[in-house]
Amino acid sequence: MHQKTVLITGCSSGIGRATALDFLDEEWEVYATARNPADIQTLGDRGANIATLDVTDQSDVDRVVDRILDEQGRIDCLVNNAGYGQMGPIEDVPTEMVHKQFDVNVYGPHRLTRAVLPHMRSQGDGTIVNVSSVVGRVSFPGGGVYAGSKFALEAMTDALRAEVEEYGIDAVLVEPGPVETQFSDRVEDQVNGGDETDGIERSGAYEKFYKLFDDTEALGGTGPGAIPPERVAEDIVNAASSTKPRARYQPGTVAQIGVLGRFLPDSWRDTLFGFARKLP
């Protein structure tokens, strides 16, 4: 039996790094990628093949996929993990930052999916795992752009799952809630104008949101119910290894409860958000 090969994006830290290590433990041939190869050198030391990959660059995508096919002859699993969270009220987020969010979180997985599918079809087997979020099912104030990108990823994956079933290919969504990663630190950079953006344009109309965001750490780090990235990696590897994976995995209690929020009447959700805004 051949050794299985996996391509993982966004391996510099958090879920991507944990997933690469988990696949290595399961004796897969791992191709761990990130925008900066220095960030994943330790994965190379552990036995992973490392490569520079910016998911917004089609030439990067083609180069890495071609390299794997040259070296291994097949790709058994693609894990679309690279992503970030653009926070801010809809009015305050410049359209160019919405475009950047979708370029990474939606168009990136689309580029990679298109690149690997012909090869998975020819081998009659393969799994595409798209790392989404509980907010891919339920949006919230101040998270509309990020949630919108995950809603889009969910819709595309649902369509893809039916399109490729006849070729022996599975398409899976993993929808964690808060995860103990650097995700929330990057979100804070986005909101406050750090990182690699010029910052959002605070209109002054939504200061209660910014205070709520500062107070809660709701999306990562030390937020309530946060799970370690290894717990998410476990579901990703299980999905990749299964002959009949589920369409969706929700690692963690917050994710399992949170996705049920989509069944609430809109007026109930809006009322709950209103209560949250009034908290001291």
Side-chain angles (χ1 to χ4, degrees):
M1 183 177 175
H2 68 270
Q3 184 178 23
K4 290 193 170 184
T5 300
V6 60
L7 166 59
I8 312 168
T9 67
C11 292
S12 58
S13 63
I15 294 170
R17 177 179 171 76
T19 299
L21 292 170
D22 210 347
F23 273 112
L24 285 170
D25 288 343
E26 294 297 318
E27 298 186 345
W28 284 58
E29 191 73 40
V30 175
Y31 284 78
T33 70
R35 287 184 302 171
N36 183 356
D39 293 340
I40 50 175
Q41 185 56 55
T42 54
L43 290 174
D45 297 339
R46 282 288 304 272
N49 305 281
I50 63 173
T52 303
L53 174 56
D54 180 343
V55 300
T56 69
D57 187 331
Q58 186 66 53
S59 62
D60 267 13
V61 171
D62 294 339
R63 174 179 48 77
V64 171
V65 170
D66 288 345
R67 173 189 163 190
I68 297 172
L69 293 169
D70 285 344
E71 294 176 358
Q72 307 298 330
R74 60 186 295 122
I75 298 176
D76 296 281
C77 182
L78 164 66
V79 180
N80 282 313
N81 168 70
Y84 71 97
Q86 176 59 63
M87 295 295 147
I90 295 298
E91 181 181 352
D92 288 7
V93 182
T95 302
E96 65 194 49
M97 293 175 73
V98 180
H99 179 85
K100 181 179 178 184
Q101 174 77 112
F102 274 67
D103 203 12
V104 174
N105 289 13
V106 182
Y107 310 148
H110 182 251
R111 291 182 186 99
L112 280 143
T113 297
R114 292 190 71 226
V116 304
L117 271 178
H119 312 288
M120 288 184 174
R121 277 192 288 106
S122 68
Q123 67 200 27
D125 184 45
T127 304
I128 295 172
V129 180
N130 288 332
V131 179
S132 180
S133 166
V134 66
V135 305
R137 310 293 286 284
V138 184
S139 188
F140 63 97
V145 173
Y146 174 56
S149 73
K150 294 302 187 182
F151 267 59
L153 184 64
E154 298 249 343
M156 290 168 59
T157 309
D158 283 339
L160 177 68
R161 190 170 59 253
E163 292 164 358
V164 299
E165 181 184 18
E166 65 179 297
Y167 302 111
I169 302 168
D170 297 300
V172 176
L173 285 156
V174 176
E175 305 166 324
V179 180
E180 296 165 358
T181 69
Q182 297 170 336
F183 182 89
S184 59
D185 294 337
R186 182 163 185 191
V187 167
E188 188 172 0
D189 283 341
Q190 297 283 345
V191 170
N192 295 323
D195 201 29
E196 57 201 30
T197 73
D198 293 326
I200 63 180
E201 298 170 355
R202 291 172 74 149
S203 60
Y206 307 100
E207 293 309 303
K208 288 180 180 177
F209 154 73
Y210 294 108
K211 182 178 187 308
L212 189 63
F213 175 83
D214 288 340
D215 290 346
T216 57
E217 286 279 344
L219 284 166
T222 58
I227 60 174
E230 290 77 15
R231 175 65 188 83
V232 185
E234 179 185 335
D235 277 355
I236 293 172
V237 175
N238 283 345
S241 305
S242 174
T243 53
K244 286 186 178 289
R246 303 201 303 267
R248 283 174 166 79
Y249 292 76
Q250 285 109 21
T253 304
V254 173
Q256 293 163 13
I257 296 173
V259 295
L260 300 177
R262 71 188 189 282
F263 297 118
L264 289 175
D266 291 339
S267 59
W268 291 19
R269 280 203 305 273
D270 293 345
T271 298
L272 288 170
F273 292 144
F275 282 143
R277 192 172 61 247
K278 292 172 184 174
L279 291 173

